[in-house]
């Protein structure tokens, strides 16, 4: 293929240089790949590792079918950039950017992917692990991820399908604890305003670590950390990963949390004008394909509430008058 041979057109070179200049992070990542190549020239595993890391760095992710593909053109641009960078590293074109100076140690850089309110996204990590990210979530991983440092940081909610590697454990760091696995499927919820961190295990096994505490989790179990203590439970619709398939299935969740989730999924602001409504617990199933108005209409029929549309993206909820 062209990028392995370094057969680059002027247009491709322009793309590459524009990407490098785009941010300090891009520049640091590029020169890390350059230095690694200088240290281990012509090593196939390095080539595979560098290319895998680069593809992931350039946000090789897919938008969910229900989300408009507004960024298709930029995604294609980034794929071209990934190919060009590897082409420069492996081919004759690399002479433009490489020098004979001694290789300097490059510090670890953390790459972050953020998903805004009203959207969900899928991320492919360099090791082949898949991550489905819920609305208003962020995930970070280090530039030496493929060198054995398979540690990621999560703020928000994500579902993981981890690629198994016997000699390299995978871990997810949240604000309350760390989830350590070899290869498995699990969901982690760690929004700050939920006042809890929860892991639901669907397949395999994981270890939850907080300080000196190590707790094992088995398929069908959940572990919640709230108010300074761990609570073990059984997997239910409300703690599974059905949200990644645009199906929301809740079992006895607080009304306050329900409102926060709606705000994230539909990118709206909802004001609850009756504090006593937060005592309500909700159970139900609905699809993300329904509009926020349709969802609130259903709530009016099943709960003692009424709502008012204040603005295009602003709603208020109050207790229904007798």
């Amino acid at each position: 293929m062209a990028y392995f041979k370094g057969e680059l057109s002027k247009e491709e070179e322009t793309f590459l240089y524009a990407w490098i200049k785009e941010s300090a992070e891009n520049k640091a990542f590029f020169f890390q790949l350059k230095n690694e190549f200088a240290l281990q020239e012509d090593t196939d595993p390095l080539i595979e590792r560098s290319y895998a890391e680069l593809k992931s760095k350039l946000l090789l992710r897919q938008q969910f079918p229900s989300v408009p593909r507004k960024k298709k053109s930029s995604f294609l641009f980034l794929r071209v950039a990934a190919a060009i960078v590897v082409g420069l590293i492996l081919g004759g074109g690399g002479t433009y950017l490489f020098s004979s100076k001694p290789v300097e140690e490059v510090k670890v850089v953390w790459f972050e992917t953020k998903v805004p309110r009203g959207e969900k996204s899928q991320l492919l990590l360099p090791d082949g692990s898949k991550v489905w990210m819920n609305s208003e979530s962020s995930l970070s991983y280090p530039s030496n991820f493929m060198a054995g440092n398979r540690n990621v940081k999560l703020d928000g909610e994500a579902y993981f399908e981890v690629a198994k590697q016997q000699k390299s454990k995978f871990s997810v760091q949240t604000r309350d604890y760390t989830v350590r696995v070899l290869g498995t499927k699990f969901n982690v919820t760690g929004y700050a305003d939920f006042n809890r961190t929860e892991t639901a295990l669907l397949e395999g096994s994981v270890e939850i670590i907080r300080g000196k505490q190590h707790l094992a989790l088995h398929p069908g179990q959940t572990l919640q950390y709230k108010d300074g203590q761990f609570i073990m439970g059984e997997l239910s619709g409300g703690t599974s990963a059905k949200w990644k398939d645009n199906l929301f299935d809740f079992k006895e969740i607080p009304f306050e949390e329900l409102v926060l989730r709606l705000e994230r999924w539909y990118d709206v602001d909802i004001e609850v004008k009756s504090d006593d409504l937060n005592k309500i617990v909700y159970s139900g199933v609905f699809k993300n394909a329904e509009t926020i108005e349709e969802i609130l209409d259903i709530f009016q029929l099943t709960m003692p509430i009424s709502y008012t549309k204040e603005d295009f993206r602003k709603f208020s909820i109050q207790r229904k008058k007798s």
Side-chain angles (χ1 to χ4, degrees):
M1 292 184 290
Y3 55 80
F4 285 113
K5 298 177 181 179
E7 299 171 351
L8 304 175
S9 66
K10 290 185 177 180
E11 182 181 12
E12 290 172 331
E13 290 180 11
T14 300
F15 278 153
L16 172 64
Y17 298 138
W19 175 80
I20 293 174
K21 293 178 180 179
E22 192 175 274
S23 69
E25 181 181 284
N26 289 355
K27 184 177 181 181
F29 188 82
F30 175 82
F31 282 99
Q32 180 202 349
L33 295 183
K34 176 183 80 73
N35 290 341
E36 288 181 349
F37 180 78
L39 285 171
Q40 303 182 43
E41 190 170 354
D42 296 327
T43 304
D44 287 343
L46 173 66
I47 293 171
E48 294 173 2
R49 187 181 84 199
S50 298
Y51 188 50
E53 288 187 16
L54 184 60
K55 287 195 297 183
S56 185
K57 163 66 187 73
L58 296 180
L59 303 183
L60 245 182
R61 67 184 190 185
Q62 303 167 338
Q63 295 296 330
F64 280 67
S66 63
V67 179
R69 296 175 179 266
K70 295 178 289 187
K71 300 182 180 179
K72 184 175 181 180
S73 59
S74 63
F75 172 72
L76 292 174
F77 165 81
L78 293 175
R79 285 204 303 181
V80 171
I84 294 171
V85 171
V86 177
L88 283 172
I89 291 175
L90 300 180
T95 57
Y96 294 116
L97 296 168
F98 294 170
S99 68
S100 59
K101 294 180 181 180
V103 176
E104 297 179 1
E105 182 179 351
V106 179
K107 68 178 182 179
V108 175
V109 177
W110 283 82
F111 304 124
E112 183 178 46
T113 298
K114 289 186 176 181
V115 181
R117 290 207 310 179
E119 296 185 24
K120 294 184 289 293
S121 187
Q122 184 177 347
L123 177 67
L124 178 65
L125 293 175
D127 66 343
S129 296
K130 299 176 182 178
V131 186
W132 285 258
M133 298 176 63
N134 209 342
S135 302
E136 205 170 22
S137 299
S138 66
L139 186 83
S140 304
Y141 70 92
S143 54
N144 61 348
F145 185 89
M146 287 301 288
N149 186 17
R150 293 204 303 162
N151 302 311
V152 301
K153 298 176 182 179
L154 172 68
D155 184 9
E157 183 170 27
Y159 170 78
F160 296 83
E161 291 187 358
V162 177
K164 191 169 185 178
Q165 293 186 4
Q166 292 290 351
K167 296 182 179 181
S168 176
K169 292 185 178 181
F170 185 102
S171 66
V172 181
Q173 182 179 333
T174 71
R175 65 182 61 251
D176 288 320
Y177 55 70
T178 297
V179 184
R180 184 173 294 170
V181 304
L182 280 174
T184 188
K185 299 178 181 180
F186 60 99
N187 192 79
V188 179
T189 305
Y191 291 113
D193 51 12
F194 281 11
N195 298 315
R196 75 174 195 280
T197 300
E198 183 172 338
T199 299
L201 183 61
L202 284 74
E203 182 180 303
S205 62
V206 302
E207 183 181 26
I208 307 297
I209 303 171
R210 179 180 170 84
K212 295 182 179 180
Q213 290 181 285
H214 291 246
L215 302 173
L217 201 59
H218 302 289
Q221 291 184 324
T222 65
L223 188 65
Q224 181 180 136
Y225 184 82
K226 184 176 183 179
D227 298 331
Q229 61 180 347
F230 283 104
I231 304 172
M232 189 76 74
E234 297 298 319
L235 188 64
S236 66
T239 52
S240 68
K242 293 182 181 179
W243 60 264
K244 74 182 181 67
D245 299 315
N246 293 319
L247 182 66
F248 305 126
D249 187 351
F250 300 112
K251 183 178 180 181
E252 298 182 348
I253 69 165
F255 185 75
E256 183 177 13
E257 179 178 321
L258 177 62
V259 169
L260 289 171
R261 286 189 177 275
L262 290 175
E263 288 182 321
R264 287 191 168 99
W265 291 333
Y266 291 99
D267 188 16
V268 296
D269 294 313
I270 301 175
E271 180 184 3
V272 180
K273 294 188 174 181
S274 305
D275 292 339
D276 60 334
L277 291 178
N278 291 327
K279 298 177 182 179
I280 297 175
V281 291
Y282 177 80
S283 297
V285 181
F286 58 89
K287 295 181 179 179
N288 196 202
E290 297 165 325
T291 66
I292 182 62
E293 287 89 351
E294 289 173 332
I295 297 301
L296 293 176
D297 285 341
I298 294 173
F299 289 169
Q300 283 189 143
L301 296 174
T302 58
M303 292 187 285
I305 70 167
S306 63
Y307 78 91
T308 304
K309 187 172 183 178
E310 307 286 354
D311 202 344
F312 178 63
R313 292 190 177 279
K314 187 174 182 180
F315 298 81
S316 63
I317 294 178
Q318 51 278 322
R319 177 172 286 279
K320 186 181 298 181
K321 296 180 181 179
S322 302

